[in-house]
Amino acid sequence: MRLPGLRPLAAITAPVAVAAAALLAPGAAVAAPARVTAEAKPAPSEGMAAENAFTGVSPSVLTPADDTLTLSGTIRNTGEVPLVDVQVLPRFSRVPLEQRTDVRQVAADPEVRPGRRYVEAFAEVTDVLEPGETRTYDLDIPAELLAFDQAGVYAVGVDVRVDGPDGGPRVTVATTRTVVPYVSPEDLPSVPVGVLWPLAAPRPTLTPDGTLTDDTLAEELASGGPLSDLLVGAADAPVTWAVDPDLLRTAGQMSDGYQVASSSGPVDGPQAGVDAAGDWLELFDLTTRDHDVWMLPYALPDFAAFEQHDPALAAELAQESLAAADTAGQGLSQATTGVAWLDGGSVTENVLTTLAEAGARTVVVPGDAVEPGDAGALGDLSAGEDGLRTVAAGTGLSSAVADAAADDDPAAGAADLRQRWVAETAMVALAAARDDTAPPLMVAAPPVRWRPDERVLQSVLDTWTSTPWVEPVGLSGAVEAEAAPEVSPSPTEGTTMLPEASVAATAQLRDDATQYSTLLADPEDVTPALTLATLRSASTGWRSDPETSVSYARGIARELAGRLQQVSVNVPESVTLSSRAGSFPLTLTNELDDPVNVRVEVQSDNPDRLRITEVPRQEMAAGEQVLVEITAEAAANGRVPIEVQLTTDDGRPIGPAVPTVVNATEYGTIGWLIVGAAGALFAAAIARRMLRSRRQQPRGRRRGVAPDEPPGLPAEAALPDLPAEARPTQEAAR
């Protein structure tokens, strides 16, 4: 079959171009391909489009002993019209890449070593590719056509060519490129490469009482699930495990039987979930035994978000999450604690200082989040009193893993990952050989919550363990043993952190949890569960769904508020004191299933008129109701408003303050005795006066006074003098 678009002149000039490129100096050779690609060429018409992806490069590393390089791939018609006479032709540059950053740019930037298209080799794909259809191909490129003449990493790819509209000139509908090292492996020094292998749930699901918010983790832990695959896949590899302790705790809860929240209340989790969690934990113990295990801060809090909106809470979360990691690591044979893992946007001075002061010793960061960028994988950073050892994950290796895990085509992602890894490590080895130095440590760190396809997962491990010049190493020993240069933080942009609403919800949960813990007489079992729940509410796992983080925190806070309402005080609408100093009762009720310690604070609106004696702490058993006597002393008569507040032992209020009024009067018991005595004296005085009047009546008649004339009583003689205590009564009688 004819090669469409091949002109005799091109066939004649191609060998000349090859020979010329071989003779050019490196600087001149860079410019030559650029002039070729700048030539005018027919563009695809509207509606013509295709996607091409490499699914294999064989061999992944080309050596002088190899005869052929084979590129395998898939082509999909993403346009609206059929593609006719589909072929792939090689496109490559004979000038090696100069910088490791170019490895990541080759596939995305056509200006990085664009090279040229060669027509001496091609692969027929199909006569007609209908819209939406996909075809595979294998393109064999002879090594003599590649003509690489020096060790290095080269940009190699294909142009997808089809007939133009109406049989017009051939057009390119897709160009895809990758990187291929051309080296003699035996001439390269070994490059130590450590791989962090993170294990974390997608988001927290455990609540303080052991109930799960949903059952998604059971699917992840089950055989064939992502978390199971991560364990099984790396079982025989010397990875450094990086584990969120919350995953282990949640799986442990599930393995003992668990409940899942539902609209009708908690329901029992399925036995399959119980078995999956138990099997996964057994596999974890077996797999990680005698291997490096880094215990990360519990639930991986979003330190940067809290440092921005609530620095004091950020410090508490850092201390508690690292302490919880220490506790979780005690059950493992080779656990390393005091390790944090930050994204690029979180590598700020404030966050690093907070972690260092909380007890962190090592922090994993992206390679582009510290300066200088060429410092290597290890660095020493000034933070807190003792500083931090930074482990900078190589941007090239780590981004290759992240890109592959996110690729919609796992086969293509796996192939791209392999080529980028061998290319990056080859460039490091070549530079060390050229400079006669030992290659530096390189670190690869996938996304913390990555969920790779099995093909991507296997590509990471196979490439890491089978590349001749790569030496797989554990990181714990390397981090502690090697000296490191000074580095400084250089946070990157683009990180989506938890919003202020999530921070506020966590802060409220912290306050409510602390209040409830201090209410209980025996909080040892409750306080840790509430602390861990607070850490979960602050997790970076909520970043993609911050509203759910607010719901999680508020749901627990509502439950705590409901429990606090079960401890109450009954206050009468008003109280009357029967003397200047008196007492009145209040009823305290504990409807909880746990004993509590409470205090009763009574505040007078006018302490000068009414003073309240302090009430001692009240210890109440579960379900108990007690009467508390409140002692008050009035300095004057009248009504004095007061407020009764029930509090925890450390003074945190339980519910709102309850108002009431105290009526104060001077007529206490002694007062009423005095009034009674005055009344008796008054009655005696009246009786004596009446008796005296009767005795004086005969003398009155002798003086000519009519018998029926009423006796006259002068006002001043109406009442006798009374004792001082009875004078108010005397005045009233007048």
Side-chain angles (χ1 to χ4, degrees), residues 638-655:
R639 294 163 55 88
V640 180
I642 64 171
E643 285 190 342
V644 179
Q645 176 68 68
L646 195 63
T647 74
T648 59
D649 195 21
D650 63 349
R652 297 173 184 268
I654 302 173

Side-chain angles (χ1 to χ4, degrees), residues 395-406:
T395 306
L397 299 185
S398 301
S399 64
V401 178
D403 292 345

Side-chain angles (χ1 to χ4, degrees), residues 69-285:
L69 178 69
T70 300
L71 302 180
S72 302
T74 60
I75 299 174
R76 181 173 178 266
N77 184 348
T78 58
E80 301 173 353
V81 298
L83 300 179
V84 179
D85 203 356
V86 183
Q87 297 176 324
V88 291
L89 287 78
R91 171 178 288 276
F92 56 87
S93 170
R94 292 193 174 103
V95 180
L97 303 180
E98 294 182 351
Q99 302 176 4
R100 286 167 54 190
T101 54
D102 292 339
V103 172
R104 303 189 294 277
Q105 297 299 320
V106 163
D109 187 352
E111 298 302 319
V112 177
R113 294 290 188 266
R116 51 161 290 193
R117 180 173 63 252
Y118 291 84
V119 298
E120 290 82 356
F122 63 93
E124 299 285 355
V125 180
T126 184
D127 292 336
V128 178
L129 188 63
E130 297 290 344
E133 285 189 338
T134 299
R135 292 288 187 274
T136 62
Y137 66 87
D138 294 307
L139 172 63
D140 295 328
I141 308 175
E144 60 182 1
L145 177 61
L146 295 169
F148 298 150
D149 63 352
Q150 60 176 307
V153 174
Y154 294 82
V156 180
V158 299
D159 284 349
V160 179
R161 302 277 286 173
V162 300
D163 284 350
D166 302 323
R170 302 278 288 174
V171 296
T172 300
V173 292
T175 296
T176 307
R177 300 191 303 157
T178 186
V179 285
V180 178
Y182 177 70
V183 297
S184 297
E186 63 275 9
D187 296 337
L188 298 180
S190 295
V191 179
V193 178
V195 174
L196 283 167
W197 204 255
L199 294 174
R203 65 182 182 281
T205 56
L206 188 62
T207 60
D209 64 358
T211 303
L212 272 61
T213 58
D214 59 59
D215 205 22
T216 55
L217 187 57
E219 300 176 3
E220 296 243 343
L221 297 174
S223 178
L227 286 170
S228 178
D229 288 346
L230 285 170
L231 270 181
V232 173
D236 298 324
V239 299
T240 298
W241 300 92
V243 183
D244 177 6
D246 181 52
L247 172 61
L248 302 183
R249 186 177 183 87
T250 306
Q253 177 69 41
M254 295 173 64
S255 67
D256 292 334
Y258 64 102
Q259 290 189 312
V260 182
S262 72
S263 58
S264 58
V267 297
D268 290 340
Q271 186 61 40
V274 176
D275 295 340
D279 293 343
W280 188 89
L281 286 173
E282 289 184 10
L283 181 61
F284 174 83
D285 291 339

